[in-house]
PDB file of all heavy atoms in Angstrom:
ATOM      1  N   ASP A  80    -105.060  63.061 -24.383  1.00 92.00           N
ATOM      2  CA  ASP A  80    -103.801  62.982 -25.028  1.00 92.00           C
ATOM      3  C   ASP A  80    -102.659  62.664 -24.185  1.00 92.00           C
ATOM      4  O   ASP A  80    -101.752  62.123 -24.652  1.00 92.00           O
ATOM      5  CB  ASP A  80    -103.528  64.521 -25.474  1.00 92.00           C
ATOM      6  CG  ASP A  80    -104.548  64.858 -26.660  1.00 92.00           C
ATOM      7  OD1 ASP A  80    -105.140  63.945 -27.314  1.00 92.00           O
ATOM      8  OD2 ASP A  80    -104.812  66.080 -26.868  1.00 92.00           O
ATOM      9  N   LEU A  81    -102.724  63.070 -22.789  1.00 92.00           N
ATOM     10  CA  LEU A  81    -101.654  62.609 -21.955  1.00 92.00           C
ATOM     11  C   LEU A  81    -101.678  61.135 -21.875  1.00 92.00           C
ATOM     12  O   LEU A  81    -100.661  60.490 -21.889  1.00 92.00           O
ATOM     13  CB  LEU A  81    -101.990  63.158 -20.531  1.00 92.00           C
ATOM     14  CG  LEU A  81    -101.017  62.784 -19.463  1.00 92.00           C
ATOM     15  CD1 LEU A  81     -99.545  63.100 -19.867  1.00 92.00           C
ATOM     16  CD2 LEU A  81    -101.352  63.290 -18.076  1.00 92.00           C
ATOM     17  N   VAL A  82    -102.869  60.399 -21.760  1.00 92.00           N
ATOM     18  CA  VAL A  82    -102.926  58.945 -21.753  1.00 92.00           C
ATOM     19  C   VAL A  82    -102.310  58.366 -23.033  1.00 92.00           C
ATOM     20  O   VAL A  82    -101.485  57.388 -22.921  1.00 92.00           O
ATOM     21  CB  VAL A  82    -104.428  58.477 -21.687  1.00 92.00           C
ATOM     22  CG1 VAL A  82    -104.496  56.976 -21.894  1.00 92.00           C
ATOM     23  CG2 VAL A  82    -104.975  59.025 -20.352  1.00 92.00           C
ATOM     24  N   ARG A  83    -102.644  58.986 -24.069  1.00 92.00           N
ATOM     25  CA  ARG A  83    -102.073  58.518 -25.393  1.00 92.00           C
ATOM     26  C   ARG A  83    -100.512  58.544 -25.338  1.00 92.00           C
ATOM     27  O   ARG A  83     -99.766  57.607 -25.806  1.00 92.00           O
ATOM     28  CB  ARG A  83    -102.551  59.261 -26.641  1.00 92.00           C
ATOM     29  CG  ARG A  83    -104.095  58.962 -26.893  1.00 92.00           C
ATOM     30  CD  ARG A  83    -104.376  59.470 -28.354  1.00 92.00           C
ATOM     31  NE  ARG A  83    -105.757  59.240 -28.689  1.00 92.00           N
ATOM     32  CZ  ARG A  83    -106.747  60.221 -28.580  1.00 92.00           C
ATOM     33  NH1 ARG A  83    -106.437  61.446 -28.176  1.00 92.00           N
ATOM     34  NH2 ARG A  83    -108.012  59.875 -28.807  1.00 92.00           N
ATOM     35  N   SER A  84    -100.073  59.661 -24.901  1.00 92.00           N
ATOM     36  CA  SER A  84     -98.407  59.815 -24.956  1.00 92.00           C
ATOM     37  C   SER A  84     -97.885  58.935 -23.951  1.00 92.00           C
ATOM     38  O   SER A  84     -96.831  58.427 -24.222  1.00 92.00           O
ATOM     39  CB  SER A  84     -98.096  61.267 -24.633  1.00 92.00           C
ATOM     40  OG  SER A  84     -98.654  61.586 -23.440  1.00 92.00           O
ATOM     41  N   ILE A  85     -98.624  58.672 -22.765  1.00 92.00           N
ATOM     42  CA  ILE A  85     -97.986  57.622 -21.751  1.00 92.00           C
ATOM     43  C   ILE A  85     -97.919  56.281 -22.495  1.00 92.00           C
ATOM     44  O   ILE A  85     -97.004  55.512 -22.248  1.00 92.00           O
ATOM     45  CB  ILE A  85     -98.759  57.723 -20.567  1.00 92.00           C
ATOM     46  CG1 ILE A  85     -98.435  58.963 -19.785  1.00 92.00           C
ATOM     47  CG2 ILE A  85     -98.443  56.511 -19.512  1.00 92.00           C
ATOM     48  CD1 ILE A  85     -99.359  59.194 -18.572  1.00 92.00           C
ATOM     49  N   ARG A  86     -99.077  55.885 -23.091  1.00 88.00           N
ATOM     50  CA  ARG A  86     -99.094  54.588 -23.789  1.00 88.00           C
ATOM     51  C   ARG A  86     -98.188  54.307 -24.881  1.00 88.00           C
ATOM     52  O   ARG A  86     -97.732  53.132 -25.236  1.00 88.00           O
ATOM     53  CB  ARG A  86    -100.568  54.321 -24.358  1.00 88.00           C
ATOM     54  CG  ARG A  86    -101.577  54.248 -23.264  1.00 88.00           C
ATOM     55  CD  ARG A  86    -101.335  52.978 -22.396  1.00 88.00           C
ATOM     56  NE  ARG A  86    -102.337  52.853 -21.267  1.00 88.00           N
ATOM     57  CZ  ARG A  86    -102.082  52.835 -19.977  1.00 88.00           C
ATOM     58  NH1 ARG A  86    -100.852  52.970 -19.646  1.00 88.00           N
ATOM     59  NH2 ARG A  86    -103.062  52.825 -19.064  1.00 88.00           N
ATOM     60  N   GLU A  87     -97.554  55.358 -25.388  1.00 90.00           N
ATOM     61  CA  GLU A  87     -96.582  55.210 -26.219  1.00 90.00           C
ATOM     62  C   GLU A  87     -95.252  54.611 -25.638  1.00 90.00           C
ATOM     63  O   GLU A  87     -94.414  53.964 -26.322  1.00 90.00           O
ATOM     64  CB  GLU A  87     -96.194  56.504 -26.960  1.00 90.00           C
ATOM     65  CG  GLU A  87     -97.291  57.033 -27.830  1.00 90.00           C
ATOM     66  CD  GLU A  87     -96.929  58.362 -28.468  1.00 90.00           C
ATOM     67  OE1 GLU A  87     -95.798  58.973 -28.100  1.00 90.00           O
ATOM     68  OE2 GLU A  87     -97.678  58.851 -29.278  1.00 90.00           O
ATOM     69  N   THR A  88     -95.046  54.712 -24.348  1.00 89.00           N
ATOM     70  CA  THR A  88     -93.939  54.264 -23.624  1.00 89.00           C
ATOM     71  C   THR A  88     -94.144  53.121 -22.875  1.00 89.00           C
ATOM     72  O   THR A  88     -93.356  52.164 -22.531  1.00 89.00           O
ATOM     73  CB  THR A  88     -93.216  55.380 -22.836  1.00 89.00           C
ATOM     74  OG1 THR A  88     -94.159  55.927 -21.896  1.00 89.00           O
ATOM     75  CG2 THR A  88     -92.738  56.538 -23.804  1.00 89.00           C
ATOM     76  N   THR A  89     -95.483  53.004 -22.271  1.00 88.00           N
ATOM     77  CA  THR A  89     -95.766  51.869 -21.374  1.00 88.00           C
ATOM     78  C   THR A  89     -97.173  51.451 -21.479  1.00 88.00           C
ATOM     79  O   THR A  89     -98.010  52.455 -21.656  1.00 88.00           O
ATOM     80  CB  THR A  89     -95.310  52.076 -19.977  1.00 88.00           C
ATOM     81  OG1 THR A  89     -95.788  51.024 -19.148  1.00 88.00           O
ATOM     82  CG2 THR A  89     -96.084  53.400 -19.434  1.00 88.00           C
ATOM     83  N   VAL A  90     -97.521  50.312 -21.503  1.00 86.00           N
ATOM     84  CA  VAL A  90     -98.959  49.792 -21.513  1.00 86.00           C
ATOM     85  C   VAL A  90     -99.374  49.294 -20.105  1.00 86.00           C
ATOM     86  O   VAL A  90    -100.552  48.861 -19.975  1.00 86.00           O
ATOM     87  CB  VAL A  90     -99.117  48.810 -22.665  1.00 86.00           C
ATOM     88  CG1 VAL A  90     -98.903  49.352 -24.008  1.00 86.00           C
ATOM     89  CG2 VAL A  90     -98.286  47.618 -22.407  1.00 86.00           C
ATOM     90  N   THR A  91     -98.391  49.232 -19.223  1.00 87.00           N
ATOM     91  CA  THR A  91     -98.715  48.529 -17.896  1.00 87.00           C
ATOM     92  C   THR A  91     -98.988  49.607 -16.924  1.00 87.00           C
ATOM     93  O   THR A  91     -99.557  49.233 -15.831  1.00 87.00           O
ATOM     94  CB  THR A  91     -97.634  47.662 -17.512  1.00 87.00           C
ATOM     95  OG1 THR A  91     -96.446  48.385 -17.438  1.00 87.00           O
ATOM     96  CG2 THR A  91     -97.400  46.492 -18.531  1.00 87.00           C
ATOM     97  N   LEU A  92     -98.439  50.749 -17.015  1.00 91.00           N
ATOM     98  CA  LEU A  92     -98.791  51.774 -15.960  1.00 91.00           C
ATOM     99  C   LEU A  92    -100.212  52.172 -15.883  1.00 91.00           C
ATOM    100  O   LEU A  92    -100.757  52.572 -16.939  1.00 91.00           O
ATOM    101  CB  LEU A  92     -97.873  53.149 -16.370  1.00 91.00           C
ATOM    102  CG  LEU A  92     -97.983  54.208 -15.213  1.00 91.00           C
ATOM    103  CD1 LEU A  92     -97.494  53.731 -13.901  1.00 91.00           C
ATOM    104  CD2 LEU A  92     -97.257  55.492 -15.741  1.00 91.00           C
TER     105      LEU A  92
END
Side-chain angles (χ1 to χ4, degrees):
D80 291 335
L81 177 60
V82 172
R83 288 193 182 102
S84 62
I85 290 173
R86 290 295 178 241
E87 291 178 357
T88 58
T89 176
V90 295
T91 60
L92 180 65

